[in-house]
Amino acid sequence: MGSRRLMLVVAHPDDDALGIAGSIALHGDEPAFRFVLIHATDGAAGQIAPEVDATPATLGEVRRGEDERAWRAHGRIPDRHEWLGYEDGFLAEADFEALTARIRDLMVQERPDVVCTFGPDGVTGHPDHITVGRATDEAFLSLAGDGGPGLRRLLHAVMKQSTWGVINRARVRDGLPPWDPTQIYHWRGVPDELVDIRVDTHLVADRVVDGIAEHRSQRLSLFEHPATRLTWRSAASREHFVQVWPARVPGQRRLADIFEGL
């Protein structure tokens, strides 16, 4: 087995639990697998669920601890975990070139085979998500094809439009407001035909949901209804990605793993 190095770049704790944790769990025991996780912020401006012992002043530290416990629950802690220290909610106002340079420097150090981040919609339209995704894309594309090792695939973790529809209909049945893709914090879907990789993660779906549940401070948004765990279990049974680089040929066979073909 060749090198299998993954770098995941996200904005907040709990972003990393959604969309690729199952793929990481599937490869976690492989000797060739290396997992590097980068958080732009510590989520200090997030919610605080009633039972969580945190204040606005301590929430960032609490969420860092939740993230560590989440990856233990997922079954594969990162080999390297970097917190960039940006202010939660203000990433779009930060020096974009400096952010891109910091991410690029980590890519140069690690030379990951696969890099994964947010697409242009940020999955939920959050400006922090959109900004860190764009910075990661620019950092990767400035290095791709430079003749060095790694940097062989750039992915956006996405929700397939048909999956989005199923979950949204379930939300309405359960008495929850439907997602509105024009609103921040509401999930977006991408057209099914744009999905390049579909990973069957049903064997590790319970581990994914267990990890999501460790983000207890955010329980009000992550587990807003008694049926939500079942919904998460279903959604965590498969993961979808758009391959940004190298560009896929239209009509090409959909891949079944983030490392397939490398």
Side-chain angles (χ1 to χ4, degrees):
M1 183 183 301
S3 169
R4 290 190 167 179
R5 295 165 295 183
L6 171 69
M7 177 178 286
L8 174 61
V9 188
V10 294
H12 316 104
D14 79 14
D15 293 343
D16 46 330
L18 313 172
I20 196 172
S23 292
I24 292 168
L26 289 174
H27 290 286
D29 293 334
E30 297 172 1
F33 182 63
R34 177 171 173 82
F35 170 33
V36 177
L37 176 59
I38 301 172
H39 277 97
T41 86
D42 60 10
Q47 299 180 1
I48 303 177
E51 72 280 8
V52 174
D53 184 14
T55 67
T58 64
L59 181 59
E61 181 180 357
V62 168
R63 294 195 69 184
R64 288 187 186 218
E66 289 177 340
D67 200 77
E68 293 174 4
R69 290 189 292 275
W71 282 105
R72 286 197 289 270
H74 291 321
R76 180 55 159 86
I77 63 173
D79 296 288
R80 180 178 182 180
H81 193 170
E82 295 286 339
W83 298 89
L84 301 185
Y86 286 92
E87 186 176 359
D88 184 9
F90 293 91
L91 200 58
E93 300 174 21
D95 183 328
F96 183 77
E97 296 303 322
L99 170 63
T100 302
R102 293 184 69 183
I103 296 171
R104 186 183 189 277
D105 184 57
L106 290 166
M107 288 183 188
V108 170
Q109 294 174 36
E110 291 288 340
R111 303 296 301 195
D113 298 296
V114 175
V115 173
C116 183
T117 189
F118 293 105
D121 64 1
V123 178
T124 65
H126 196 302
D128 285 358
H129 295 186
I130 294 169
T131 301
V132 77
R134 185 163 65 92
T136 302
D137 286 356
E138 291 200 10
F140 181 98
L141 294 172
S142 73
L143 295 168
D146 67 356
L151 299 168
R152 302 163 72 187
R153 181 172 284 164
L154 173 62
L155 301 179
H156 291 163
V158 300
M159 178 177 284
K160 192 171 63 167
Q161 185 67 35
S162 57
T163 301
W164 182 92
V166 169
I167 295 176
N168 216 18
R169 288 190 291 274
R171 288 177 61 85
V172 173
R173 287 196 305 270
D174 293 337
L176 295 171
W179 286 327
D180 178 354
T182 68
Q183 301 296 315
I184 297 178
Y185 305 118
H186 289 231
W187 285 65
R188 277 81 164 145
V190 302
D192 289 24
E193 63 270 18
L194 297 183
V195 172
D196 298 303
I197 303 175
R198 179 188 184 278
V199 185
D200 182 349
T201 51
H202 79 275
L203 292 177
V204 294
D206 285 325
R207 288 162 59 180
V208 174
V209 179
D210 287 345
I212 295 170
E214 288 295 333
H215 295 277
R216 293 169 183 163
S217 65
Q218 307 308 296
R219 180 185 59 78
L220 297 181
S221 59
L222 293 173
F223 291 90
E224 54 193 331
H225 185 277
T228 305
R229 186 177 180 92
L230 294 175
T231 303
W232 277 125
R233 176 64 172 77
S234 176
S237 294
R238 64 203 67 82
E239 293 176 345
H240 300 93
F241 305 89
V242 171
Q243 180 170 299
V244 182
W245 194 93
R248 299 266 292 164
V249 177
Q252 196 170 1
R253 180 183 65 85
R254 184 176 290 169
L255 302 178
D257 187 87
I258 61 174
F259 293 109
E260 183 179 351
L262 296 183

